Amino acid sequence: MKASLEHLSPESRNDLELISRLILESLPDKCEMIILYGSYATGNQVVYDQKKEYGVPTFYMSDYDILIVTSCRFKKAVIGNIFKKIINQYYQEKGIENIRFHTTVQFISESIYDLNKAIDKRRYFYYDIKKNGIILYDSGKYQLAPLRRLRIAEVKEMAEEYFNKKFNVAQEFIHLAKDSYGRRNYQISSFNLHQACENLYRAVLLTFTLYTEKGHDLESLSSKVKIHSLEFVKAFPRDTEKEEDLFQLLISAYVQARYDSDFMVTQEDIDTLLPKVELMRDITYTICQNQLLFLSRNRKRKKNISL
């Protein structure tokens, strides 16, 4: 785990120092580690970005994403109240009354035991925090679990769990797309098809690598799953202008179907997209089941596997 904040501005470093102090004051003898993760840890943060979307001024700012590691478990209501207290104190000490245009703070909390269990099992969210996070405070009493290589049996168990979760979510979005289509709400139908595709892509990545990136960019997800199978080209060949336009419509649907009243999606668009997404679902199921079968056949070797 990293420890340097040199890539951040002096203001951000001061903010994180203040946040860490307030956490330690609010959780005396309970806080064991404070870890910065997310965009501010990786250096991909957006300090302030303002633009017009569909004629409406919008802005975006990255959050400070903070993991608080404690020596014991807290009830959600209890730790939630502590988080609110820390955040209020943070803005008070900075003299901020209107937080709209200031970097916000997002907290999550895990006991050291639960966190190490998740890291040891290579849960992709916590694996990413261990790999890319920055330690802001460490009591020195505990060590984080190492990023170990997994036995094939463990890989198979996790891959199957991840596949079932993402595939079932994708199935649900396909059902929702059909329901919206039946009510002639083609915009929302296109959004649901986008979400179905996103979850299918993630099902493949998690089944094969136990990891998936954040974000909703189908372009990026599509390029990554092709490493594991070129069968997806059958669903979205993108070899003609019409095919490319359909895929771009699907990409745009994530935002525009919800926020742009002028976003045009026709019945013909959904009639064409729905069979493609269902084919993608079938391809996903086949290649993921083949991968799970491969892992099942090889787990008797009791070897470790590097992912």
Side-chain angles (χ1 to χ4, degrees):
M1 183 165 288
K2 298 176 289 185
S4 174
L5 296 173
E6 290 301 315
H7 64 288
L8 298 180
S9 68
E11 181 180 2
S12 292
R13 294 199 294 268
N14 289 337
D15 287 346
L16 293 169
E17 183 178 347
L18 172 58
I19 292 167
S20 298
R21 175 171 65 79
L22 294 173
I23 292 170
L24 294 171
E25 289 175 357
S26 299
L27 291 166
D29 303 321
K30 299 294 184 183
C31 178
E32 302 301 339
M33 296 179 192
I34 302 172
I35 300 171
L36 175 70
Y37 69 97
S39 60
Y40 270 93
T42 60
N44 297 318
Q45 73 274 9
V46 176
V47 178
Y48 185 83
D49 179 34
Q50 182 174 336
K51 56 186 176 182
K52 280 191 174 182
E53 289 187 342
Y54 324 123
V56 179
T58 63
F59 71 94
Y60 174 76
M61 302 173 69
S62 296
D63 302 320
Y64 292 131
D65 296 305
I66 306 291
L67 168 61
I68 301 174
V69 185
T70 58
S71 56
C72 61
R73 291 191 182 101
F74 281 89
K75 292 183 178 179
K76 287 185 177 181
V78 173
I79 198 67
N81 287 332
I82 293 173
F83 289 166
K84 290 178 183 177
K85 175 185 173 184
I86 295 171
I87 291 171
N88 288 336
Q89 289 178 328
Y90 168 69
Y91 289 121
Q92 286 174 7
E93 294 214 16
K94 284 182 66 68
I96 297 172
E97 295 182 2
N98 183 355
I99 68 171
R100 187 181 178 195
F101 297 105
H102 293 273
T103 306
T104 56
V105 187
Q106 299 292 332
F107 289 125
I108 59 172
S109 177
E110 294 288 354
S111 74
I112 185 65
Y113 310 104
D114 292 335
L115 176 60
N116 275 339
K117 184 178 179 181
I119 293 173
D120 184 67
K121 286 189 135 186
R122 287 283 290 271
R123 298 291 180 186
Y124 66 92
F125 175 74
Y126 296 100
Y127 168 83
D128 192 60
I129 291 178
K130 173 68 187 291
K131 185 178 179 181
N132 297 310
I134 297 177
I135 191 81
L136 302 178
Y137 168 78
D138 187 354
S139 70
K141 297 177 185 177
Y142 299 92
Q143 294 290 324
L144 292 180
L147 298 177
R148 67 180 178 88
R149 298 176 69 184
L150 299 177
R151 298 190 305 275
I152 291 182
E154 293 175 301
V155 174
K156 195 266 181 181
E157 179 183 356
M158 289 184 61
E160 189 167 29
E161 176 188 334
Y162 286 147
F163 168 76
N164 288 333
K165 181 177 180 180
K166 294 299 181 183
F167 190 81
N168 289 337
V169 170
Q171 287 272 55
E172 183 62 26
F173 274 116
I174 291 174
H175 292 320
L176 291 172
K178 292 179 178 179
D179 181 63
S180 300
Y181 175 88
R183 290 181 286 104
R184 298 183 180 180
N185 192 338
Y186 304 127
Q187 283 187 337
I188 296 303
S189 184
S190 69
F191 168 77
N192 287 324
L193 289 177
H194 175 287
Q195 290 293 277
C197 286
E198 180 182 327
N199 279 278
L200 290 170
Y201 283 141
R202 294 194 189 285
V204 175
L205 294 174
L206 286 165
T207 301
F208 280 81
T209 70
L210 305 185
Y211 183 80
T212 181
E213 62 185 20
K214 291 183 179 179
H216 308 279
D217 185 2
L218 296 187
E219 190 89 52
S220 175
L221 291 168
S222 172
S223 66
K224 287 179 171 59
V225 298
K226 288 177 185 176
I227 297 172
H228 306 293
S229 175
L230 292 175
E231 288 290 301
F232 286 104
V233 176
K234 294 179 180 179
F236 291 101
R238 302 174 65 180
D239 55 352
T240 66
E241 184 177 349
K242 182 178 180 180
E243 288 287 351
E244 179 63 24
D245 287 346
L246 277 169
F247 193 70
Q248 292 303 321
L249 183 147
L250 196 61
I251 291 173
S252 300
Y254 178 71
V255 173
Q256 295 190 40
R258 293 177 293 166
Y259 303 120
D260 183 5
S261 59
D262 295 324
F263 181 56
M264 290 298 298
V265 183
T266 66
Q267 180 179 353
E268 182 183 0
D269 290 331
I270 303 301
D271 286 339
T272 307
L273 280 171
L274 182 56
K276 288 177 172 293
V277 176
E278 290 182 321
L279 175 57
M280 184 176 159
R281 174 199 60 197
D282 297 341
I283 292 170
T284 297
Y285 183 85
T286 299
I287 67 171
C288 287
Q289 289 302 310
N290 287 340
Q291 173 66 3
L292 293 173
L293 181 59
F294 167 79
L295 293 172
S296 183
R297 287 172 175 171
N298 285 275
R299 64 182 176 179
K300 293 181 180 180
R301 299 177 185 179
K302 296 182 180 180
K303 292 183 178 180
N304 295 340
I305 187 168
S306 179
L307 290 174

